[in-house]
């Protein structure tokens, strides 16, 4: 029989539902905007769609599963493990999508003339597929054996056979902190974040050099090109910064749990860290809307055409004009 939900759990569930209600529609709007707007069809925006898909899944799948884990139902060990793994898959997918975006922006400013011949839609699709395959392999590693089953079996008697090991389903109960810190954080989170930091620093350095060049009055196109690249790079770097700001606190808490078992981490800090990780999925559409003009135009067009029951010809013409830029 399920135990009643406490007031604290009710507050937690309410906040999680609110995050999901912002994240899912917002990221669906991002995917919709790219689908209907020709100006948003280059490789960068394909990677942004991959990131948005992961964020939709966080709101539609991970948050409901997190609520279930918070309630702590009695389940079989591997059933609980299956509930815990999706967040690992989607976190890695988001990181690899951000890395692909960073590399794409670097190529756009490093080799602008050869960029379109090198970064083709086919190659972008292959890169996205590889990102998702790696994400599933990293996120499902606990299912392949790197988990807490043996540790739990050593500390208590299993109820029946190996496959019927019943537990109270909690994330830290089934997921090994060694996996979370040594493999997930130190290999698949921290190095990509540091690499992206270096890539964006180089991107800004290359753009600055190009914008500082003395150009004749007849060569406005390079200045215009690098000016646009600078604006987009700043916006995407902000997305990266928000991701790091949202996810690093939880990983730091995991490190404390592993390296200082006697340290008592206040539960409220853990919940705040969890809210930050889930809330990150709702932030990106807001950044796109306020920082990237093409997205803002597409969002307004969708709103006017599908929600205000009218076709905004000005928005359509603006979108067409942007597609030619």
């Amino acid at each position: 029989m399920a135990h009643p939900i406490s007031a604290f759990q009710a507050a937690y569930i309410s906040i999680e539902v609110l995050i999901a209600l912002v994240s899912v529609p917002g990221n669906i709007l991002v995917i919709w905007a790219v689908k209907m707007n020709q100006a948003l069809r280059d490789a960068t925006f394909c990677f942004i769609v991959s990131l948005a898909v992961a964020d939709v899944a966080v709101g539609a799948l991970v948050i409901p599963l997190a609520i279930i884990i918070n309630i702590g139902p009695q389940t079989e060990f591997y059933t609980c493990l299956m509930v815990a793994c999706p967040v690992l898959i989607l976190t890695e997918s988001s990181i690899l999508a951000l890395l692909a975006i960073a590399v794409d922006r670097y190529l756009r400013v490093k080799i602008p003339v050869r960029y379109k011949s090198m970064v083709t839609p086919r190659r972008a699709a292959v890169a996205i597929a590889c990102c998702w395959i790696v994400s599933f392999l990293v996120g499902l590693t606990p299912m392949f054996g790197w988990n807490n089953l043996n540790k739990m079996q050593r500390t208590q008697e299993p109820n029946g056979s190996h496959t019927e090991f019943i537990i109270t389903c909690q994330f830290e109960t089934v997921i090994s902190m060694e996996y979370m810190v040594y493999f997930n954080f130190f290999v698949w989170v921290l190095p990509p974040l540091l690499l992206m930091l270096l890539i964006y620093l180089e991107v800004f350095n290359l753009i600055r050099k190009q914008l500082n060049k003395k150009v004749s009055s007849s060569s406005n196109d390079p200045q215009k090109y690098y000016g646009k690249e600078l604006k987009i790079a700043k916006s995407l770097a902000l997305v990266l910064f928000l991701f790091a700001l949202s996810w690093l606190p939880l990983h730091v808490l995991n490190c404390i749990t592993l390296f200082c078992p006697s340290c008592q981490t206040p539960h409220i800090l853990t919940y705040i860290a969890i809210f930050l990780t889930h809330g990150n999925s709702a932030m990106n559409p807001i950044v796109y809307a306020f920082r990237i003009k093409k997205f803002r135009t597409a969002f307004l067009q969708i709103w006017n055409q599908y929600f205000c029951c009218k076709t905004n010809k000005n928005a359509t013409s603006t979108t067409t004009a942007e597609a030619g830029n």
Side-chain angles (χ1 to χ4, degrees):
M1 185 174 178
H3 57 79
I5 296 174
S6 67
F8 187 84
Q9 284 180 315
Y12 165 81
I13 292 171
S14 299
I15 295 172
E16 288 281 41
V17 169
L18 180 61
I19 293 171
L21 290 176
V22 175
S23 176
V24 173
N27 285 286
I28 288 176
L29 190 61
V30 170
I31 299 168
W32 192 354
V34 174
K35 183 179 184 300
M36 69 177 294
N37 192 335
Q38 290 292 335
L40 298 172
R41 294 291 178 84
D42 65 18
T44 299
F45 296 107
C46 292
F47 295 130
I48 286 176
V49 166
S50 179
L51 181 60
V53 169
D55 287 338
V56 168
V58 168
L61 177 64
V62 169
I63 287 179
L65 293 179
I67 291 172
I68 291 173
I69 286 180
N70 181 261
I71 294 172
Q74 297 291 310
T75 66
E76 193 270 328
F77 183 90
Y78 277 98
T79 301
C80 184
L81 203 56
M82 289 178 64
V83 171
C85 281
V87 67
L88 304 174
I89 297 169
L90 296 171
T91 303
E92 191 56 40
S93 173
S94 297
I95 291 170
L96 293 178
L98 288 169
L99 180 58
I101 290 169
V103 172
D104 177 72
R105 302 324 293 184
Y106 173 77
L107 293 175
R108 285 184 71 93
V109 299
K110 183 68 175 179
I111 51 168
V113 176
R114 292 185 292 130
Y115 171 78
K116 287 189 176 180
S117 63
M118 288 191 62
V119 186
T120 62
R122 180 183 177 85
R123 288 175 179 171
V126 169
I128 291 170
C130 289
C131 288
W132 278 99
I133 290 170
V134 171
S135 301
F136 272 93
L137 291 175
V138 172
L140 291 178
T141 296
M143 294 293 296
F144 303 144
W146 198 345
N147 55 54
N148 285 337
L149 180 59
N150 291 333
K151 184 188 295 184
M152 293 191 67
Q153 287 178 326
R154 287 196 300 267
T155 57
Q156 64 184 83
E157 287 295 323
N159 296 329
S161 68
H162 186 82
T163 57
E164 295 175 349
F165 192 59
I166 305 301
I167 61 167
T168 299
C169 186
Q170 298 287 341
F171 186 86
E172 292 186 18
T173 303
V174 294
I175 300 294
S176 165
M177 274 298 120
E178 287 82 3
Y179 161 82
M180 286 300 300
V181 174
Y182 292 126
F183 186 68
N184 189 279
F185 183 47
F186 286 167
V187 177
W188 291 103
V189 174
L190 193 57
L193 287 177
L194 294 175
L195 178 58
M196 282 183 269
L197 174 62
L198 295 175
I199 290 173
Y200 275 110
L201 288 175
E202 181 62 16
V203 166
F204 290 130
N205 183 48
L206 289 171
I207 292 174
R208 180 183 57 80
K209 287 180 179 179
Q210 292 295 331
L211 292 177
N212 287 340
K213 281 183 177 180
K214 299 294 184 181
V215 294
S216 65
S217 58
S218 61
S219 56
N220 290 326
D221 284 344
Q223 294 289 85
K224 182 179 179 182
Y225 176 83
Y226 285 106
K228 288 169 62 178
E229 285 301 313
L230 180 61
K231 290 180 182 178
I232 294 177
K234 284 181 177 179
S235 300
L236 297 174
L238 176 60
V239 171
L240 171 61
F241 172 76
L242 291 174
F243 183 89
L245 192 67
S246 299
W247 278 96
L248 287 178
L250 186 60
H251 284 289
V252 169
L253 290 177
N254 288 339
C255 290
I256 293 172
T257 300
L258 178 64
F259 298 129
C260 184
S262 61
C263 297
Q264 295 294 324
T265 304
H267 285 298
I268 188 64
L269 289 182
T270 303
Y271 279 105
I272 290 172
I274 292 171
F275 289 143
L276 282 173
T277 61
H278 294 166
N280 179 253
S281 298
M283 295 177 191
N284 293 341
I286 299 171
V287 173
Y288 304 149
F290 282 97
R291 301 275 309 183
I292 301 179
K293 185 179 179 182
K294 290 179 180 180
F295 267 117
R296 187 162 60 248
T297 301
F299 290 163
L300 288 173
Q301 182 184 356
I302 291 171
W303 175 259
N304 289 327
Q305 187 169 343
Y306 295 96
F307 295 97
C308 292
C309 301
K310 65 179 181 178
T311 301
N312 190 325
K313 295 182 179 180
N314 291 332
T316 305
S317 61
T318 302
T319 303
T320 304
E322 285 184 351
N325 290 337

